[in-house]
Amino acid sequence: ALSWRPRVALGHAYAAGDHHTGDAAQQRFDPLFGARRFDLGPTGFWGAASRSNLQSPAVRFEMVPHRTLELFSSYRPVWLASSRDAWVAAGLSDPSGSSGTFVGHQVEARLRWTPFAKNLWAELGGAALTSGEFALQAPRARGGTPLFAFVSLSGAL
């Protein structure tokens, strides 16, 4: 009943991974098509988490402090569903499974301003992923903390 309409949402994304690389059976979920925006990251440009070999709970917070302003943030730890399969989004794999399954912690935030009754909207946002054991130890892994920021201006007649 608050005027700023807070909302907390919990979610969980799971997409199977291949259990035994090199055999004839392929168990990895292949999304084929589909947008990531609504739950796995800010835009198609940021794709640290994808619906292949993924296990990831999430918490999301939204609020509308003013009729022209919306705020959103989320936190999502990311694991591989199978340690022997790839972190598909990064193109990294460890068929031995010895690099673990934890990819890292993803945080995201966005501010949306709609000053003219939904005819113009501006967004400012970003995302970051801290490196977990898999992102640090997998063959060819570079570690680090990837960052993504965006500004968007859109309108409608």
Side-chain angles (χ1 to χ4, degrees):
L2 297 173
S3 62
W4 47 285
R5 300 189 332 242
R7 178 178 181 256
V8 175
L10 301 175
H12 188 269
Y14 178 83
D18 194 8
H19 303 295
H20 304 288
T21 58
D23 64 6
Q26 173 60 270
Q27 294 95 13
R28 181 190 308 151
F29 177 75
D30 182 357
L32 190 58
F33 299 107
R36 289 188 285 248
R37 171 62 191 111
F38 65 95
D39 61 350
L40 296 179
T43 71
F45 294 116
W46 174 264
S50 64
R51 258 179 217 86
S52 290
N53 194 29
L54 173 75
Q55 173 139 280
S56 181
V59 61
R60 179 180 175 127
F61 177 73
E62 302 170 17
M63 69 179 203
V64 182
H66 184 269
R67 64 179 174 76
T68 64
L69 200 60
E70 299 174 31
L71 300 168
F72 149 81
S73 63
S74 72
Y75 166 70
R76 170 180 296 281
V78 179
W79 284 272
L80 302 177
S82 171
S83 64
R84 297 179 179 274
D85 197 6
W87 174 17
V88 177
L92 295 176
S93 65
D94 182 0
S96 74
S98 62
S99 296
T101 60
F102 188 59
V103 172
H105 301 274
Q106 177 175 289
V107 293
E108 176 187 358
R110 183 196 70 222
L111 170 69
R112 180 181 290 153
W113 180 50
T114 54
F116 303 113
K118 304 280 185 186
N119 288 331
L120 174 69
W121 53 96
E123 289 185 334
L124 171 65
L129 177 73
T130 63
S131 294
E133 65 181 337
F134 187 86
L136 294 169
Q137 299 172 10
R140 298 184 355 261
R142 295 182 297 176
T145 301
L147 301 172
F148 175 78
F150 68 92
V151 175
S152 170
L153 182 63
S154 303
L157 297 176

